Amino acid sequence: MSYAAYKMMHWPTGIDYCAAGFITHSPAEAAAFSSLPPTISGPEVDVDSSAARAPQRVGPTPNLVVVAANVLEVYAVRTDAVMGAQDGGTSSLAAVLDGISGARLELVCYYRLHGNIESMAVLSDGTENTRDSIALAFKDAKVACLEFDDSINGLRTSSMHCFEGPDWLHLKRGRESFAFGPVIKADPQGRCGAALFYGLQMIILKAAQVGQSFVGEDEPTRMLSSAAVRIDSSYVIDLRHLEMNHIKDFTFVHGYIEPVLVILHEQEPTWAGRISSKNQTCMISAFSISMSLKQHPMIWSSAKLPHDAYQLLAVPPPISGILVICANSIHYHSQSTSCSLALNSFSSQPDGSPETLKTSFHVELDAAKATWLSHDIVMFSSKNGEILLLTVVYDGRSVQRLDLMKSKASILSSGATTLGSSFFFLGSHLADSLLVQFSFGVPTSVLPDLADESADIEGDPPFAKRLKRIPSDVLQDVNSVEELSFHSNSVPNSLDSAQKISFVVRDALINVGPLKDFAYGLRTNSDPNAAGIAKQSNYELVCCSGHGKNGTLSALQQSIRPDLITEVELPSCTGIWTVYYKSSRGIITEDNEYHAYLIISLESRTMTGDDLGEVTETVDYNVQASTIAAGNLFGRRRVIQVYAKGARVLDGSFMTQELNFTMHGSESSLTSEPLAAASASIADPYVLLKMVDGTVRLLVGDHSNCTISVNAPTVFASSSERISSCTLHHDRGPEPWLRKARTDAWLSTGIGEATDGNDGFSHDQSDIYCIICFESGKLEIFEVPSFKCVFSVEDFVSGSAILSDDLSHTKDAVIGVPDATTVSVKKEETNNIKIVELAMHRWSGQFSRPFLFGLLNDGTLLCYHAYCYDGSESNAQCAPSSPNGSSDIDNASDSRLRSLRFHRVSIDVSARDDISSFTRPRITIFNNVGGYEGLFLGGPRPTWVFVCRQRFRVHPQLCDGPIVAFTVLHNVNCCHGLIYVTSQGFLKICQLPSAYNYDNYWPVQKVPLHGTPHQVTYYAEQSLYSLIVSVPVVRPLTQVLSSMADQELGLHIESDFTVGDDLQKVYTVDEFEVRIMELEKPSGRWETRFTIPMQPFENALTVRIVTLQNTTTKENETLMAIGTAYVQGEDVAARGRVLLFSFSKTENSQNLVTEVYSKESKGAVSAVASLQGHLLIASGPKITLNKWTGSELTAVAFYDAPLHVVSLNIVKNFILFGDIHKSIYFLSWKEQGSQLSLLAKDFGSLESFATEFLIDGSTLSLVVSDSDKNLQIFYYAPKMVESWKGQKLLSRAEFHVGAHVSKLLRIQMLPTQGLVSEKTNRFALVFGTLDGGIGCIAPVDELTFRRLQSLQRKLVDAVPHVCGLNPRSFRHFKSNGKAHRPGPDNIIDFELLSHYEMLSLGEQLDIAQQIGTTRSQILSNFSDFLLSTSFL
């Protein structure tokens, strides 16, 4: 293995930063939107005016911007208003607060960047009509500003600022490593931003004046939508000249004419041992920033702040000023007044200062996250997950005092942000992040006022209005919400201090980080007979994730294995459908109606079943021919069955009508030969047929007498172009979405009613569209049944990033004509590519937008998300003068969907196989399978695509091989389940495993442990997982101190201790235990089978299953080995223990495990492993090899490690260990001389995190990850000159992962069909990171490596990267200022290569040609790699 590939398989989920901002809409647009009734189109505007008024109380809600490592996501908050606010009985299902019964986050856009985001700020100028933009800071000194662009429905970079490289070297002042990365903050009025780089360099980013466009004035479309805040210019302030040397935090304050920057800095540093004599070392200084003069005079300052001050909070107007948050106290400072609040007995105050207030309870505020709920209440999320509320008591002139109250317990958060006036979001790195709705109680003196709220959001939108009052009729509902009282003990001298705040958790974003360790074990529903790739979905990763009370065991799977209910052998099946049957008598709600018939199409005939019993004899279905499609018509009152020669309409099991398809009688009335249908699409009451000759027919249903008639659209009779695929899209619901995209949307209440509104059948408004793709690659959307073209795209096949209507947007730019030679090469390859299947669907949700899918015949799935962008007003005058000037185009363009656009969404579906144009349809859309909606893609690599929060979650299904047919089934025996037929000819009725949550990159099941999990290992024989858990326990301080110190010291402690009564008498210690857990087979629940407690102050460091050879009986025994360490402070010498446990063989014995050996050792036992029947123990700085006699371990050999071993790996008789500071060592064990000898080591200094062997055929490599987020691959080559006669390990490749890799696991790769001479003995490494990401490092052969590496170099320039980040500089080895000799660049990065599939077809062919290969070759390399690494 000289070459490797890096691929992320599960992206980071631990949220580092979160912020709120009006990114996709301005506050005014949000206010207008929430005050309008939900149904804008249609006559029924005032049906339910209470429903229209309900969302108003919440006020405009901004977007949520979330950062997880290098993933940036923008969400919108969607609220569900209570429909009838008057009836109090509806609140039984969900808690109703402020007229809202539920809220959820919906994804707007997300990006994976080539760089970790170090800091984020939202630039907002607080006015009504401008949008906010996002400013991101990246390592070293880069800032990028992003704004939302309506025309592409995504973020685009508005400015980039870089202070790196030779011109800016002087800013570093000769230093190479810095304690923290760049920090960026924004002025609340949006006049400027400030970024702190290199510890002491402050960059002031000046915002452009509103109305000035940065990109040039020739952009008429920018002026239509509300403009966003832009950065205009920047300059540097060197803070050393202001006599600062250690900056802790800085922020902008409110209430000044010019921006004022307040900096918290430490004048001279102190440390814990000097606190008694030197503790008030911090100070704050306020500077007025005059950007035009580039001057910054100091306007006030305040010294003598405690040394543990770490955070500044700007108090919003009208109070303004600043809060300094310290670990043990909180201080308020403004230019005129100051006051402080002590939080516990450790807080110190300067001599001669007035007595400070103390809180009634003790709390420590270090590492707390804060956000303002209103203009005078700030919420803290403390380091142990409590929510605290601090009120700034204000009498109109000055701040009187600070009040702190305890509130609920919550998650350990990494950031908090308030979203509008009713929500806040707690982002967490250690637990699931929460969206919480809060509501203030009504003070008695204030009457609830529901005046026009939309006018009240002047000034700062986040603190829009002091307490949105709850109307009195909702108060009774609030009582069902668990309330927390917000009373303070002191006299309420202001109305605000007697309030109640209620919280309701509304939504959660899943996080599986930090992944400390994982084990690879069998699933409950695994199939012992599976082989090949299907065997992989027998396994799952069981991970240690979370921390403290948020610690969980996460079971992750990459592929879905449905739970089987029953299976039947059914050879040569080509399709299955389930249909409803609603007789005219029974009225059932549509959502929960059971399916009545199952129709199974075989190659030559059709079977139908009723409740899974076959009833073929009595039904009038055409059972002699193979069915093409079946479905319901006329509101589920009839069933239609389409077969090649005709169609039948059935009422239950009786036929009411039969049609045969013929050629059009008008052309040849004498020889009317039958014409066969190839595929069909059903949208009540129409059926669209695609015939074998590439023409279409439409079957039109008549509601009044439930019959259908054939209609050949005349539009296509004239054109000779063959149709490659077509589908119908039913745009239904209270507000059909595509109507918004019309040109005349505001003057028509919908064209649909005019055509089908005359029958007496009542239904929702709905429009039906027909989407047709021609063999030339052109896509057109027609209205049905008039077949008027409303949207057309010239070259749909090529998969460009944005699709817009060709006719209504006359292209201003003339596209240059390419050379004739390159065109001919490309034409050949483009001509073979056709769309074989289309689908368009809009899933549930008030704000959801339709998706359009196109399946190419090479297996690529194009996926588009529709959006509205009306950029046509600016060039409307040039639309009528279209090139051919004919009048019919002018009339046609009136009702076109001119503002409809689609943007391409990336979707990781990898079925690379040639699909002929006459196969079965592959895409099946489902609306409820186990509570999820989405689509299922059949074929050789079946894939589930779930639609959660308007984003795709793609999960393959490997367990049954190719799937030929799929349908949903909902009946008594199988609730919201599914049926599929495998290519081997088995029909399986299944349900989705309900324990898993599919709204994640991989399906996940989280088991709360209420403690921190540290390490997990899998015992295969009994399918048990043993894991180390530490639970925080509160202990009396006397007990803690006496057991920690030696006995004679303990006496002195006792006598001192009685004096200070105000010392707190408790202390929290972590108590360790080893739990043995099992996944119960039928229920799928995790049960703890046995617990092994550790002694007090004993930390379990490692647990492993080892196989030892018993030297007395000469048999192999499988034991569980535990290594521990006693943590007793720095005065006591370190000790540890080795424990060995054996598993009981019988089922019903009392003890699952019994201890067979225990021994103390000098030094902490940090790693254990079994080496050829011997036990290898790393205790302290020594590695010993022991043999097992059945009752004793006796040392055989030893090796002295440098400092402390963090990981041990073994292959055959080779040992690899990583040291905490001294990189990796490579040893071998020789049986005859019984000695451990050093083969080679890495001479660099490296703080190892995880190590493992990488095996590629017969070559062995050594992989290590380090504390600077890098990964290195070494090899042992004693014959090479540079290896110093074999003493030194040589570098084979190095790579910057961008996250701490905490665990590497070696898994054998699957052979692919690609290369015949494939090495069988090939292993990849699956790694987990502390951000919650999972990826793999896998060996690749040289030919593939060279091809993909040259493609990777092309893609660095060929793709526009978000924020303008350079992927090559991101992946360079980061040595953080240490000396490092660069190694070879032998890793390819699939994170960058994945952009290739998102390019348009022309660009893909171009790039492939430039590097001397073909597109299909590159794509087959991609899919081979994906197949060989689908481990789970």
Side-chain angles (χ1 to χ4, degrees), residues 385-452:
E386 289 182 317
I387 289 186
L388 306 166
L389 296 166
L390 177 79
T391 312
V392 180
V393 180
Y394 174 70
D395 65 353
R397 290 185 306 280
S398 63
V399 173
Q400 301 288 308
R401 63 173 198 279
L402 306 171
D403 275 352
L404 188 70
M405 294 133 203
K406 271 194 179 179
S407 176
K408 305 237 171 117
S410 174
I411 56 170
L412 305 172
S413 60
S414 66
T417 182
T418 309
L419 298 164
S421 54
S422 308
F423 295 97
F424 63 85
F425 178 78
L426 289 174
S428 173
H429 208 191
L430 306 169
D432 293 353
S433 305
L434 304 180
L435 173 72
V436 184
Q437 185 189 349
F438 66 93
S439 167
F440 296 99
V442 184
T444 45
S445 61
V446 182
L447 289 170
D449 62 303
L450 269 173
D452 50 343

Side-chain angles (χ1 to χ4, degrees), residues 176 196 241 248 276 567 700 731 849 946 1032 1078 1118 1154 1183 1309 1419:
E176 279 301 323
L196 182 68
H241 300 155
K248 293 192 157 190
S276 55
E567 77 174 314
V700 184
D731 191 20
R849 313 192 304 273
F946 294 102
E1078 181 180 26
T1118 304
T1154 46
I1183 295 179
M1309 288 173 76
L1419 293 180

Side-chain angles (χ1 to χ4, degrees), residues 1114-1414:
K1114 298 286 186 278
E1115 286 176 353
N1116 281 350
E1117 296 181 18
T1118 304
L1119 303 172
M1120 177 173 71
I1122 302 175
T1124 71
Y1126 288 95
V1127 179
Q1128 292 179 312
E1130 55 191 21
D1131 303 326
V1132 185
R1135 303 175 291 133
R1137 281 199 306 165
V1138 179
L1139 304 167
L1140 291 179
F1141 288 84
S1142 69
F1143 291 93
S1144 63
K1145 296 284 181 281
T1146 55
E1147 282 295 313
N1148 51 8
S1149 67
Q1150 270 79 36
N1151 285 352
L1152 184 68
V1153 293
T1154 46
E1155 183 179 311
V1156 292
Y1157 178 76
S1158 150
K1159 178 166 185 249
E1160 274 207 10
S1161 75
K1162 292 181 186 168
V1165 180
S1166 56
V1168 291
S1170 57
L1171 169 65
Q1172 295 181 341
H1174 297 65
L1175 182 64
L1176 195 62
I1177 300 173
S1179 72
K1182 182 174 279 194
I1183 295 179
T1184 55
L1185 188 69
N1186 302 270
K1187 66 172 191 280
W1188 170 242
T1189 63
S1191 59
E1192 277 298 319
L1193 284 177
T1194 47
V1196 183
F1198 72 93
Y1199 178 79
D1200 279 324
L1203 293 167
H1204 176 80
V1205 176
V1206 288
S1207 68
L1208 270 180
N1209 307 98
I1210 287 168
V1211 163
K1212 291 184 177 169
N1213 63 333
F1214 295 114
I1215 303 166
L1216 164 67
F1217 73 83
D1219 188 84
I1220 193 165
H1221 282 303
K1222 298 287 187 193
S1223 195
I1224 57 172
Y1225 283 66
F1226 185 40
L1227 315 177
S1228 80
W1229 151 247
K1230 294 194 180 59
E1231 185 88 49
Q1232 60 268 32
S1234 72
Q1235 60 177 9
L1236 291 172
S1237 53
L1238 175 69
L1239 294 176
K1241 64 174 187 174
D1242 172 28
F1243 280 79
S1245 72
L1246 196 70
E1247 300 177 8
S1248 325
F1249 263 51
T1251 57
E1252 188 53 275
F1253 288 104
L1254 186 55
I1255 300 171
D1256 179 21
S1258 58
T1259 58
L1260 186 69
S1261 306
L1262 303 97
V1263 180
V1264 57
S1265 65
D1266 64 40
S1267 59
D1268 289 322
K1269 307 185 180 182
N1270 304 309
L1271 205 104
Q1272 277 172 287
I1273 304 179
F1274 291 99
Y1275 66 110
Y1276 174 57
K1279 299 201 171 55
M1280 306 271 285
V1281 180
E1282 55 264 40
S1283 74
W1284 301 348
K1285 296 187 180 171
Q1287 295 177 55
K1288 186 178 177 195
L1289 290 171
L1290 300 176
S1291 173
R1292 185 162 266 164
E1294 57 184 31
F1295 190 78
H1296 183 68
V1297 178
H1300 289 296
V1301 173
S1302 54
K1303 165 78 174 177
L1304 292 157
L1305 175 74
R1306 190 171 70 236
I1307 300 183
Q1308 186 155 8
M1309 288 173 76
L1310 302 166
T1312 54
Q1313 302 81 30
L1315 297 165
V1316 187
S1317 65
E1318 186 77 65
K1319 301 173 184 166
T1320 49
N1321 189 23
R1322 232 179 192 192
F1323 287 82
L1325 296 183
V1326 174
F1327 63 79
T1329 72
L1330 294 185
D1331 296 325
I1334 298 170
C1336 72
I1337 299 277
V1340 287
D1341 54 273
E1342 181 166 7
L1343 188 67
T1344 313
F1345 173 78
R1346 296 276 176 234
R1347 180 183 300 123
L1348 294 182
Q1349 191 187 35
S1350 44
L1351 170 66
Q1352 178 175 310
R1353 288 178 177 148
K1354 272 268 174 276
L1355 287 176
V1356 172
D1357 306 328
V1359 180
H1361 301 292
V1362 189
C1363 297
L1365 294 167
N1366 185 342
R1368 282 193 60 190
S1369 77
F1370 177 44
R1371 295 306 183 187
H1372 262 300
F1373 187 92
K1374 308 274 192 295
S1375 63
N1376 195 14
K1378 299 190 201 80
H1380 173 76
R1381 197 157 161 218
D1385 179 22
N1386 283 346
I1387 298 192
I1388 46 177
D1389 176 19
F1390 269 90
E1391 284 290 276
L1392 173 57
L1393 292 172
S1394 64
H1395 288 293
Y1396 182 75
E1397 298 182 74
M1398 285 298 289
L1399 294 171
S1400 68
L1401 187 61
E1403 295 171 299
Q1404 287 184 2
L1405 295 171
D1406 267 353
I1407 290 179
Q1409 196 182 351
Q1410 286 167 7
I1411 62 174
T1413 178
T1414 61

Side-chain angles (χ1 to χ4, degrees), residues 980-1225:
Y980 60 86
V981 181
T982 66
S983 59
Q984 283 94 29
F986 287 95
L987 178 137
K988 301 194 174 189
I989 300 179
C990 304
Q991 283 177 310
L992 276 182
S994 58
Y996 286 85
N997 191 328
Y998 298 96
D999 181 19
N1000 187 27
Y1001 298 109
W1002 286 3
V1004 61
Q1005 175 186 7
K1006 294 188 73 171
V1007 186
L1009 296 172
H1010 306 295
T1012 308
H1014 294 275
Q1015 212 175 49
V1016 62
T1017 187
Y1018 177 63
Y1019 177 51
E1021 287 169 40
Q1022 297 182 25
S1023 298
L1024 299 173
Y1025 292 91
S1026 25
L1027 72 151
I1028 299 173
V1029 183
S1030 66
V1031 183
V1033 182
V1034 175
R1035 281 287 145 89
L1037 193 55
T1038 47
Q1039 184 187 337
V1040 175
L1041 288 172
S1042 59
S1043 61
M1044 276 185 78
D1046 291 326
Q1047 286 312 309
E1048 62 269 16
L1049 285 173
L1051 305 171
H1052 305 299
I1053 293 176
E1054 287 296 332
S1055 56
D1056 286 354
F1057 191 67
T1058 50
V1059 182
D1061 280 329
D1062 60 344
L1063 265 180
Q1064 283 168 284
K1065 301 288 200 305
V1066 291
Y1067 184 72
T1068 308
V1069 287
D1070 276 343
E1071 296 206 344
F1072 278 76
E1073 59 191 30
V1074 174
R1075 290 186 200 171
I1076 298 176
M1077 299 184 74
E1078 181 180 26
L1079 185 51
E1080 294 277 339
K1081 272 284 185 287
S1083 63
R1085 285 206 312 274
W1086 286 83
E1087 302 291 343
T1088 304
R1089 300 291 307 276
F1090 197 79
T1091 303
I1092 306 168
M1094 297 290 125
Q1095 294 176 3
F1097 300 102
E1098 183 182 31
N1099 289 12
L1101 296 183
T1102 180
V1103 58
R1104 288 288 175 248
I1105 303 291
V1106 292
T1107 305
L1108 303 184
Q1109 189 183 23
N1110 190 329
T1111 52
T1112 50
T1113 62
K1114 298 286 186 278
E1115 286 176 353
N1116 281 350
E1117 296 181 18
T1118 304
L1119 303 172
M1120 177 173 71
I1122 302 175
T1124 71
Y1126 288 95
V1127 179
Q1128 292 179 312
E1130 55 191 21
D1131 303 326
V1132 185
R1135 303 175 291 133
R1137 281 199 306 165
V1138 179
L1139 304 167
L1140 291 179
F1141 288 84
S1142 69
F1143 291 93
S1144 63
K1145 296 284 181 281
T1146 55
E1147 282 295 313
N1148 51 8
S1149 67
Q1150 270 79 36
N1151 285 352
L1152 184 68
V1153 293
T1154 46
E1155 183 179 311
V1156 292
Y1157 178 76
S1158 150
K1159 178 166 185 249
E1160 274 207 10
S1161 75
K1162 292 181 186 168
V1165 180
S1166 56
V1168 291
S1170 57
L1171 169 65
Q1172 295 181 341
H1174 297 65
L1175 182 64
L1176 195 62
I1177 300 173
S1179 72
K1182 182 174 279 194
I1183 295 179
T1184 55
L1185 188 69
N1186 302 270
K1187 66 172 191 280
W1188 170 242
T1189 63
S1191 59
E1192 277 298 319
L1193 284 177
T1194 47
V1196 183
F1198 72 93
Y1199 178 79
D1200 279 324
L1203 293 167
H1204 176 80
V1205 176
V1206 288
S1207 68
L1208 270 180
N1209 307 98
I1210 287 168
V1211 163
K1212 291 184 177 169
N1213 63 333
F1214 295 114
I1215 303 166
L1216 164 67
F1217 73 83
D1219 188 84
I1220 193 165
H1221 282 303
K1222 298 287 187 193
S1223 195
I1224 57 172
Y1225 283 66

Side-chain angles (χ1 to χ4, degrees), residues 146-189:
L146 300 170
E147 62 181 54
F148 191 78
D149 185 356
D150 289 315
S151 61
I152 58 171
N153 200 51
L155 297 175
R156 70 164 182 191
T157 313
S158 62
S159 64
M160 303 188 307
H161 315 268
C162 181
F163 298 91
E164 297 172 20
D167 300 346
W168 299 99
L169 269 179
H170 63 278
L171 296 183
K172 287 189 175 186
R173 306 289 291 243
R175 286 181 61 185
E176 279 301 323
S177 66
F178 296 92
F180 50 88
V183 183
I184 187 162
K185 299 279 173 85
D187 176 48
Q189 270 113 44

Side-chain angles (χ1 to χ4, degrees), residues 525 557 560-566 594 928-932 944 946 957 959-960 966-980 988-996 998 1082:
N525 58 359
Q557 313 178 344
I560 288 179
R561 172 184 280 279
D563 288 335
L564 189 66
I565 294 177
T566 171
Y594 287 159
N928 189 346
V929 172
Y932 289 89
W944 292 82
F946 294 102
Q957 178 175 328
C959 55
D960 291 297
F966 172 94
T967 187
V968 293
L969 172 69
H970 178 46
N971 69 8
V972 184
N973 310 318
C974 173
C975 178
H976 295 303
L978 55 127
I979 307 182
Y980 60 86
K988 301 194 174 189
I989 300 179
C990 304
Q991 283 177 310
L992 276 182
S994 58
Y996 286 85
Y998 298 96

